[in-house]
Amino acid sequence: MKKTFILEDLDCAHCAAKIEEAVGKLDGVSSSTVTLLTQKLVVEADEARVSSLKKEIEKIVKKYEPDVTVVEK
């Protein structure tokens, strides 16, 4: 199941790549893609895991970009 998150105020390509890589390594996640231009994170994960992913994603995002806000789309 695909889920999209908006990463408000993301402006660092290096950080976007680190976030994409870290989210992709989470349990149950089969793929993750960050598009810097649109500030979107698209995650493909097991349906059972999708609802619990936001908190884990927020933690990863705050590690690399403390000023970015994660918004579920």
Side-chain angles (χ1 to χ4, degrees):
M1 175 177 197
K2 282 190 179 182
K3 184 73 179 168
T4 302
F5 298 90
I6 305 298
L7 304 178
E8 292 180 347
D9 299 325
L10 180 66
D11 58 4
C12 170
H14 180 71
C15 299
K18 292 285 189 184
I19 292 167
E20 181 178 296
E21 182 182 347
V23 171
K25 291 180 180 178
L26 291 174
D27 286 339
V29 174
S30 54
S31 74
S32 77
T33 306
V34 174
T35 306
L36 183 61
L37 187 62
T38 59
Q39 297 182 336
K40 286 185 182 176
L41 165 64
V42 179
V43 178
E44 192 160 339
D46 298 336
E47 200 165 336
R49 285 280 291 141
V50 169
S51 60
S52 62
L53 280 176
K54 187 175 183 216
K55 285 185 182 183
E56 292 177 64
I57 289 171
E58 285 176 336
K59 189 175 180 181
I60 290 168
V61 169
K62 293 296 179 192
K63 177 180 176 184
Y64 295 106
E65 277 279 12
D67 297 328
V68 170
T69 306
V70 178
V71 179
E72 238 176 295
K73 187 170 179 189

